[in-house]
Amino acid sequence: MVVGIGADGWDGLSPAAQQAVSRSRVLMGSQRQLDLVPGEFERVAWPSPLVPALPGLFETFRDVCVLASGDPMFHGIGTTLVRLLGERVTVIPHPSSVSLACARLGWALNEVEVVSLVARSADLLRPVLTPGRRVLVLGGDPETVAALAGPIIVLEQLGGAAERVYPWSGQDSDPLCVIAIEYGGSALPRVPGLPDDVYESDGQLTKREVRAISLSRLAPLPGQLLWDVGSGSGSIAIEWARTHPTCRVIAVEQSAERAERIGRNAASLGVPGVEVHIGRAPDALQGLEKPDAIFVGGGVTVPGVLQACWDALASGGRLVVNAVTLESEAVVAQWYAKLGGDLVRIAVNRGSAVGGFTGWRPHMPVTTWSVVK
Ligand SMILES: C[S@@+](CC[C@H](N)C(=O)[O-])C[C@H]1O[C@@H](n2cnc3c(N)ncnc32)[C@H](O)[C@@H]1O
């Protein structure tokens, strides 16, 4: 049994939730939550770290009621327990802090973006901050959030006697708070093809137009994993990850200096979760979690790279390879002959000043081979 409880404690529980708690013998939760409930119980405060300890706790204790903050199934312990214990878990929710915040602010819950920064980097906020968008942040530090987002409202101890809602201006605030943002700054779109100059780069960068075409072939979907092999400045990895917060990437790069740069680009463009592996393909690909799609932007001519990538894909997986040199084109041509797929040659010319006039400056043409397994 998992019962959601708010800052209003025992009195704020529904009669059904109070009955469910009262029928249990053992109460588990944070010390703060355990202190909210009167009566005779065996009380077990969460150990740290919590998740590895859970199976043991549920073997030792029977007849347990877990106290969770707000709605246990919303960034809460409820989801972890259902994963661990399956159908044995009954959940009685309480309004979440996000519902209470929307009630106080007069915001439509369905129009608000919610970001949890509990044990996560504040850089995750960056892709969410778009003009006019309302955002609620859980587990954030007001100073860090305000530095990224501008003016914020802090909502503390929602639903409790000590509730406070105020525009933040540097004061100390309760760690139990929700932060509300109405963003007024500029933003980058989530659609691939960001300007080249948003990336820190040593020139090893798939240029904007080619990047947009490559990502359309990679076809990212929520929850899917990409390998970006020869990740360079990380632009393909980053734009894959930016399409949806659940998209994941492993960027493989042989140069340690570039790998560090990928990390910096990923943080500044709001996807700090991009996983960077320093190593040379194909060896560096061994043991990695199998991907849904693979982009090869470097190492095409290294023996075994394309074979290892092809082997790693399950049926339906997408492989996209970019070739710029004659040598890499020759490898691509062999694979195209063997597997088919789609060959596209991308020739980009950019209008630029020629004296007092404007002329076309060609970029090196790129051959893109894409194939679905
Ligand atoms: C043209 S860049 C890729 C650009 C990248 N798509 C971007 O937009 O930032 C090619 C990269 O592949 C890397 N590379 C080449 N061969 C590799 C290999 N066998 N394993 C891992 N990285 C490799 C190079 O160090 C270089 O950074």
Side-chain angles (χ1 to χ4, degrees), residues 165-181:
V165 177
Y166 53 93
W168 187 79
S169 54
Q171 60 270 61
D172 285 343
S173 40
D174 193 305
L176 201 66
C177 73
V178 175
I179 299 172
I181 304 167

Side-chain angles (χ1 to χ4, degrees), residues 204-206 230-235 253-254 258 279-281 297-299 302:
Q204 293 291 314
L205 178 77
T206 302
S231 188
S233 312
S235 75
E253 172 54 54
Q254 65 185 8
R258 289 193 187 130
R280 191 171 152 80
V302 177

Side-chain angles (χ1 to χ4, degrees), residues 70-138:
D71 184 339
M73 302 305 283
F74 184 70
H75 295 289
I77 186 75
T79 20
T80 313
L81 293 177
V82 169
R83 218 178 300 127
L84 184 71
L85 305 169
E87 288 166 7
R88 285 161 58 195
V89 181
T90 308
V91 179
I92 303 183
H94 190 272
S96 73
S97 53
V98 159
S99 295
L100 294 173
C102 283
R104 301 300 184 266
L105 296 163
W107 289 6
L109 180 53
N110 50 298
E111 288 171 9
V112 161
E113 186 115 30
V114 181
V115 178
S116 169
L117 295 184
V118 178
R120 296 160 90 205
S121 162
D123 286 322
L124 285 168
L125 267 180
R126 295 179 192 269
V128 175
L129 297 175
T130 52
R133 189 101 175 112
R134 289 170 162 172
V135 181
L136 292 175
V137 181
L138 308 178

Side-chain angles (χ1 to χ4, degrees), residues 6-314:
D8 48 357
W10 180 251
D11 293 340
L13 292 185
S14 68
Q18 287 188 347
Q19 265 180 28
V21 176
S22 304
R23 277 199 300 266
S24 314
R25 205 174 52 74
V26 180
L27 282 191
M28 286 186 193
S30 68
Q31 194 57 56
R32 187 180 59 77
Q33 288 155 345
L34 294 174
D35 292 343
L36 293 171
V37 176
E40 291 296 308
F41 297 97
E42 185 167 355
R43 292 164 196 263
V44 180
W46 291 134
S48 175
L50 171 60
V51 175
L54 284 173
L57 282 175
F58 285 93
E59 296 220 329
T60 312
F61 297 100
R62 302 277 144 184
D63 200 9
V64 175
C65 175
V66 169
L67 298 174
S69 150
D71 184 339
M73 302 305 283
F74 184 70
H75 295 289
I77 186 75
T79 20
T80 313
L81 293 177
V82 169
R83 218 178 300 127
L84 184 71
L85 305 169
E87 288 166 7
R88 285 161 58 195
V89 181
T90 308
V91 179
I92 303 183
H94 190 272
S96 73
S97 53
V98 159
S99 295
L100 294 173
C102 283
R104 301 300 184 266
L105 296 163
W107 289 6
L109 180 53
N110 50 298
E111 288 171 9
V112 161
E113 186 115 30
V114 181
V115 178
S116 169
L117 295 184
V118 178
R120 296 160 90 205
S121 162
D123 286 322
L124 285 168
L125 267 180
R126 295 179 192 269
V128 175
L129 297 175
T130 52
R133 189 101 175 112
R134 289 170 162 172
V135 181
L136 292 175
V137 181
L138 308 178
D141 157 52
E143 191 169 346
T144 316
V145 173
L148 285 172
I152 56 172
I153 294 173
V154 170
L155 302 99
E156 281 177 11
Q157 292 280 344
L158 281 164
E163 177 174 313
R164 277 201 318 152
V165 177
Y166 53 93
W168 187 79
S169 54
Q171 60 270 61
D172 285 343
S173 40
D174 193 305
L176 201 66
C177 73
V178 175
I179 299 172
I181 304 167
E182 262 184 300
Y183 185 66
S186 59
L188 292 169
R190 286 184 186 271
V191 175
L194 295 180
D196 294 341
D197 63 8
V198 303
Y199 292 96
E200 182 196 328
S201 157
D202 60 0
Q204 293 291 314
L205 178 77
T206 302
K207 303 294 180 294
R208 180 179 196 169
E209 292 78 8
V210 176
R211 198 182 324 124
I213 292 172
S214 304
L215 273 144
S216 80
R217 296 286 173 159
L218 288 166
L221 289 175
Q224 292 196 331
L225 174 67
L226 171 76
W227 288 357
D228 180 12
V229 180
S231 188
S233 312
S235 75
I236 298 282
I238 288 165
E239 296 193 16
W240 168 283
R242 281 177 59 90
T243 62
H244 196 268
T246 59
C247 280
R248 298 176 304 128
V249 195
I250 302 175
V252 177
E253 172 54 54
Q254 65 185 8
S255 148
E257 191 186 333
R258 289 193 187 130
E260 268 187 34
R261 188 177 293 118
I262 295 168
R264 288 196 295 279
N265 278 330
S268 72
L269 290 164
V271 285
V274 166
E275 211 181 293
V276 187
H277 273 254
I278 305 175
R280 191 171 152 80
D283 294 351
L285 306 175
Q286 269 175 27
L288 300 183
E289 183 184 341
K290 296 286 183 253
D292 300 285
I294 302 179
F295 179 74
V296 185
V300 178
T301 55
V302 177
V305 167
L306 291 193
Q307 188 66 54
C309 290
W310 185 247
D311 292 348
L313 285 173

